Amino acid sequence: MKNRNEKQFVLSILLVVVILGIGTTIALSTAISKPVVNSFQAADHETNIKEEIDGLKKTIQVKNTADKSAAFVRVRIVISPAKALGQDDYMIQGQNWTENEEQDGFYYYTKTLLPGEETEDLIFEVKNKEEVTESFDVLVYEESCVATSTSDSLTIEQIKEAFKKADGKTDQNQG
């Protein structure tokens, strides 16, 4: 009887060693797998603003200087001090530029700006130059985000939505 218990004990230990050996082999083979390589690239995103001044006329362009990514562009023009000119004293115009109906102060470029491309001119011009008696500055703020589409058939709402996704808001005066 004692001999039989010793055999069972030895067989039990041998079984535990075999199970541990198999488990260790499986664990090691799982842990020594090939590393996962990310297959995506971050967007290449950079734009520059160009301004030319001729008297009381300012011509604004934005260039997409990125190597790979298309961009959506918006520009905000601010007169400082604000009381220097009334809204009827100047005009802002440009082909493929749309003023936001929500009055956030931005003009949205309605075409996708491909890498290396420049926007068409956005022109700020004082209407009655003779009536300007106070000095003022015309400040130009430019923002851009990576374009989610390179199609030229986008609506202004789709472009505004891309800016919302990029920064969470379209009105810079919101906190």
Side-chain angles (χ1 to χ4, degrees):
M1 184 82 161
K2 190 175 178 184
N3 202 8
R4 187 171 183 211
N5 285 340
E6 285 180 20
K7 284 183 181 179
Q8 285 180 343
F9 178 72
V10 171
L11 285 174
S12 296
I13 290 177
L14 187 61
L15 183 61
V16 168
V17 169
V18 169
I19 289 173
L20 286 175
I22 292 172
T24 304
T25 303
I26 292 172
L28 285 174
S29 68
T30 304
I32 306 175
S33 62
K34 293 181 182 176
V36 176
V37 178
N38 290 333
S39 60
F40 66 90
Q41 290 182 336
D44 173 27
H45 178 246
E46 186 176 341
T47 54
N48 290 324
I49 191 165
K50 178 176 133 187
E51 300 174 67
E52 291 181 11
I53 301 170
D54 181 16
L56 295 174
K57 177 181 176 183
K58 184 178 265 197
T59 303
I60 303 149
Q61 284 185 320
V62 179
K63 182 174 183 175
N64 182 357
T65 57
D67 291 330
K68 300 175 190 168
S69 300
F72 294 132
V73 173
R74 66 182 180 178
V75 169
R76 186 178 207 171
I77 298 173
V78 178
I79 300 163
S80 178
K83 62 181 177 127
L85 292 176
Q87 199 166 12
D88 294 334
D89 296 334
Y90 65 90
M91 64 181 178
I92 301 173
Q93 60 185 6
Q95 185 178 358
N96 292 318
W97 288 94
T98 301
E99 185 176 11
N100 187 12
E101 315 82 45
E102 297 165 8
Q103 302 302 314
D104 67 357
F106 281 101
Y107 285 80
Y108 290 82
Y109 193 62
T110 58
K111 291 175 64 177
T112 304
L113 199 58
L114 298 175
E117 275 189 333
E118 289 182 345
T119 63
E120 289 148 10
D121 294 345
L122 181 62
I123 300 170
F124 170 91
E125 188 170 12
V126 175
K127 291 180 186 175
N128 301 317
K129 299 172 186 175
E130 298 80 27
E131 295 180 17
V132 176
T133 58
E134 187 176 346
S135 64
F136 62 93
D137 289 320
V138 177
L139 307 171
V140 179
Y141 299 97
E142 175 266 336
E143 293 182 352
S144 61
C145 67
V146 175
T148 53
S149 170
T150 56
S151 170
D152 276 343
S153 62
L154 296 169
T155 66
I156 190 70
E157 283 73 28
Q158 290 170 311
I159 295 171
K160 286 173 18 184
E161 187 62 31
F163 277 100
K164 283 181 185 178
K165 287 179 182 176
D167 69 3
K169 58 187 180 247
T170 57
D171 186 351
Q172 292 300 92
N173 293 326
Q174 294 178 356

